[in-house]
Amino acid sequence: MTWIKPSFLWMMYRCGWGAKAGQETVLAVEISRAGFDWAVRNACLSSYTRGVHPDRATWQRQLKHAPTRVQWDPERDLHLRPLPYRSLQLGLSGEAARRYADEWTLAIRDVTPLAHEIHALVSAGDLPSAARLLPEERPYPVEEEALAHLDGTR
């Protein structure tokens, strides 16, 4: 399974600013809107949520057959501390992983130097300069019915 992490700071938390063993390269992958929307429409929550799923057995069947899964993880600040709201993390397997690699990927950029530069500024206490270098992130517009099967944990 491969994961789409739409948040730069969440990714920095995950890879330790590109310093964790085996995670020294940080890539920004641009994918098509149609691909991301397909993945969301075909996703299942990664954990059982009462009120969203009729019962645990139904959720397990859905998870087994879903090409994508969703986790809602706490967003992070510049010190990588959790914030009181969550961001979507989207796991891809099977057909979704193939489509991601063969159809949806539009561009790949190495942002490792940017990660290191921002981390150096944070370490030096220059948060305003670090914040100015962060990639622009906007809320992703999505129709509510597309998220209805994924709600309850955000």
Side-chain angles (χ1 to χ4, degrees):
M1 179 162 292
T2 190
W3 288 85
I4 296 172
K5 313 287 189 182
S7 160
F8 183 82
L9 287 174
W10 196 95
M11 193 63 222
M12 294 307 97
Y13 163 74
R14 185 78 168 112
C15 73
W17 296 101
K20 285 186 181 176
Q23 299 183 50
E24 294 90 351
T25 301
V26 182
L27 300 176
V29 180
E30 180 183 347
I31 67 170
S32 70
R33 166 128 192 166
F36 191 84
D37 288 347
W38 184 95
V40 169
R41 280 193 314 275
N42 289 280
C44 179
L45 287 171
S46 62
S47 58
Y48 171 72
T49 304
R50 180 172 293 161
V52 174
H53 305 103
D55 54 61
R56 191 172 295 277
T58 301
W59 164 74
Q60 287 174 328
R61 281 192 304 278
Q62 290 172 348
L63 185 64
K64 182 177 180 182
H65 297 290
T68 57
R69 61 183 58 176
V70 162
Q71 291 180 181
W72 294 98
D73 293 325
E75 187 51 78
R76 302 291 166 156
D77 67 12
L78 279 165
H79 291 290
L80 308 182
R81 296 175 299 216
L83 293 169
Y85 55 92
R86 296 179 177 267
S87 291
L88 177 139
Q89 314 299 320
L90 192 58
L92 310 174
S93 65
E95 179 184 2
R98 182 197 57 75
R99 286 178 177 229
Y100 173 71
D102 296 340
E103 300 170 19
W104 303 342
T105 300
L106 304 175
I108 301 173
R109 291 184 329 278
D110 183 352
V111 294
T112 308
L114 176 63
H116 293 165
E117 183 178 3
I118 294 171
H119 183 230
L121 290 166
V122 170
S123 296
D126 189 355
L127 298 184
S129 294
R132 281 193 294 277
L133 292 178
L134 289 173
E136 179 185 359
E137 295 178 358
R138 299 175 313 276
Y140 187 79
V142 65
E143 297 173 9
E144 276 304 310
E145 62 268 12
L147 285 179
H149 67 293
L150 304 173
D151 217 353
T153 57
R154 42 180 181 139

